[in-house]
Amino acid sequence: MNVTVRPARRSSLARTAAILTTMGLALASTAILGSGAGVSTASSHREAPLIAADPQVDNTDVYAFTSPDKPDTVTLVANWLPFQEPNGGPNFYPWADGAHYDINIDSQGTGKPDLTYRWTFHTEDRRGTNTFLYNNGVVNNLTDPTLLFRQYYTLQELRPGCDPVTLVEHGTAAPSDTGRASMPKYGQLRQQATVQLPGGGQTVATQAADPFFLDLRVFDLLYGGNLSEVGQNTLAGYNVNSLSIQVPKSRLAFKGDSGRNPVIGVWSSTEKQTLKLSPGKAEPTGKFVQVSRLGNPLVNEVVLPAGLKDAFNSLPPSEDHNQPAVVAKVLNPEVPQLIQAIYGLPAPATRTITRTAEGPSCAACPCCSPPSPSAAAWPRSGHWTAPGPPPPARPSPPRTPPGLRTAVPPPTVR
């Protein structure tokens, strides 16, 4: 799987309309295991009809980068449950009990996970019939009796053909930040929730400020029809639920050799069971079904049409290239056409890809003639982009917390 990874800066829809054109060509995210400062980012909030109605399991972001504090490790971060208004009590923003929150690693370019880190949560609600309060006093420690709503998780490492390995049996998630009066030292609670992993590394489940910059006024006919509505971070002031894990590069690389095999594919996904509803109850039943997935930024949000979004969320990346309707929209995305229609900016020429026994060939595409490793891998993987310069990017806005540079989740918004 050969994908160009841009430097450690985050792309933004708000910069220019041309960025939208570029972002519409991406299929999946990757992380570089080498010594460079490469970082891969992805974002998609409320992008499909079904998942918009089920925010607890909605993937919003996924990040992968060489850890600045420990260069022999990789930090993986995945976020869920978008648009958390900080004052959203009394229940605030718990993880979904029993759902599978997954970060998937493909080390061979197949579009299939060679390794999955899976968090599964369960809740201890001490409020009962006594109170509506999330906490009934100041909370300085995760074990304080004043913290009435608690969540715990199991973290497993899954590899095909192997028994699951439990890395964390009974981890404690940092609670939702209910405010300065209730949790004056939220960073201390997060530190207490950080768990050291066997074999090296660490993980934490916590609430965090949404680190992605996104101006969602793009949906007002691409920024007001005259680019008058740009530069506002719609996500500023909102939190997300965040899972971070830092692991040695050798755990992720093919055959454990990050020097020889420095490229991996990374995506997050969520599985859940059907809920059987009865008055005052919702009981999970049946098989687990994938309901959300996230690779590169905004593919499902602004590349695929509404009628394909829910189905796309259910697919594994290895099946993307077998979906003609999906491939057609990736090769001929809608956003460049909208930019051309609204602003008169010519849309870049698209290309067609034809299948042969030897692999795909691209009309008017020099990167596939003669065949290259990226071309040869494409029929097996949905993770493919043409070689070339990275898309335009802007520096992180001033409000962006230091999480991507320190491997520490950003603080919550209060």
Side-chain angles (χ1 to χ4, degrees):
M1 183 169 56
N2 296 276
V3 184
T4 301
V5 179
R6 56 186 178 273
R9 297 182 295 172
R10 214 165 302 134
S11 57
S12 167
L13 288 178
R15 187 63 173 173
T16 65
I19 295 180
L20 283 168
T21 307
T22 306
M23 293 181 76
L25 302 177
L27 268 178
S29 68
T30 61
I32 291 294
L33 297 176
S35 59
V39 61
S40 186
T41 69
S43 183
S44 211
H45 297 59
R46 303 184 71 251
E47 77 287 348
L50 287 179
I51 201 61
D54 200 358
Q56 278 186 302
V57 290
D58 182 8
N59 292 262
T60 65
D61 305 281
V62 61
Y63 303 93
F65 52 95
T66 295
S67 309
D69 56 331
K70 295 181 179 179
D72 60 338
T73 69
V74 167
T75 296
L76 307 169
V77 183
N79 299 332
W80 282 264
L81 213 170
F83 294 106
Q84 298 180 17
E85 209 288 326
N87 301 306
N91 298 302
F92 293 95
Y93 304 99
W95 300 90
D97 278 0
H100 293 162
Y101 293 92
D102 294 347
I103 298 179
N104 306 285
I105 312 298
D106 171 13
S107 62
Q108 301 185 68
T110 62
K112 299 178 181 180
D114 296 299
L115 167 64
T116 296
Y117 291 108
R118 170 169 293 170
W119 289 259
T120 308
F121 291 84
H122 67 277
T123 297
E124 179 187 1
D125 192 344
R126 300 184 176 187
R127 294 174 295 181
T129 58
N130 298 319
T131 182
F132 60 84
L133 291 172
Y134 191 91
N135 55 286
N136 62 0
V138 176
V139 178
N140 289 315
N141 301 285
L142 295 179
T143 56
D144 285 352
T146 50
L147 181 59
L148 304 181
F149 188 92
R150 308 176 183 211
Q151 289 200 293
Y152 306 96
Y153 66 88
T154 298
L155 171 60
Q156 292 181 306
E157 181 182 271
L158 309 177
R159 295 181 184 270
C162 300
D163 292 334
V165 176
T166 298
L167 301 178
V168 180
E169 180 69 39
H170 191 69
T172 303
S176 292
D177 186 351
T178 58
R180 294 185 180 92
S182 294
M183 300 177 182
K185 299 178 181 179
Y186 189 78
Q188 178 175 297
L189 298 178
R190 177 183 286 166
Q191 186 61 41
Q192 292 173 12
T194 301
V195 179
Q196 301 302 309
L197 300 178
Q202 56 187 331
T203 187
V204 64
T206 183
Q207 191 183 49
D210 194 323
F212 203 81
F213 184 98
L214 188 62
D215 190 340
L216 288 178
R217 291 175 300 173
V218 62
F219 298 116
D220 181 16
L221 293 181
L222 295 180
Y223 303 115
N226 58 6
L227 287 180
S228 61
E229 302 177 5
V230 298
Q232 174 179 299
N233 183 10
T234 308
L235 306 179
Y238 293 104
N239 292 317
V240 290
N241 284 352
S242 184
L243 296 175
S244 299
I245 184 169
Q246 186 181 74
V247 291
K249 293 178 179 179
S250 59
R251 299 295 298 172
L252 308 181
F254 181 55
K255 295 185 177 180
D257 189 346
S258 61
R260 184 176 179 85
N261 304 299
V263 181
I264 57 174
V266 180
W267 71 100
S268 59
S269 57
T270 325
E271 297 179 341
K272 64 177 296 186
Q273 295 171 283
T274 298
L275 291 180
K276 180 181 178 181
L277 302 179
S278 58
K281 294 182 179 180
E283 299 178 9
T285 183
K287 296 181 179 180
F288 281 89
V289 177
Q290 180 178 297
V291 295
S292 184
R293 59 175 282 197
L294 182 57
N296 263 356
L298 306 177
V299 171
N300 204 4
E301 193 151 0
V302 298
V303 176
L304 300 185
L308 297 178
K309 291 178 180 295
D310 291 329
F312 184 79
N313 266 343
S314 71
L315 289 174
S318 58
E319 286 300 311
D320 289 351
H321 69 284
N322 288 326
Q323 312 303 316
V326 170
V327 173
K329 283 297 181 180
V330 171
L331 295 179
N332 189 23
E334 181 180 5
V335 169
Q337 300 171 34
L338 293 174
I339 294 173
Q340 178 171 301
I342 295 171
Y343 294 108
L345 300 175
T350 59
R351 61 178 180 268
T352 58
I353 293 182
T354 57
R355 247 357 127 85
T356 67
E358 292 76 25
S361 61
C362 309
C365 180
C367 68
C368 292
S369 181
S372 65
S374 59
W378 190 82
R380 299 186 294 111
S381 171
H383 301 208
W384 181 88
T385 57
R394 60 170 289 168
S396 301
R399 70 164 289 277
T400 301
L404 292 184
R405 287 171 290 280
T406 63
V408 175
T412 54
V413 174
R414 291 306 312 172

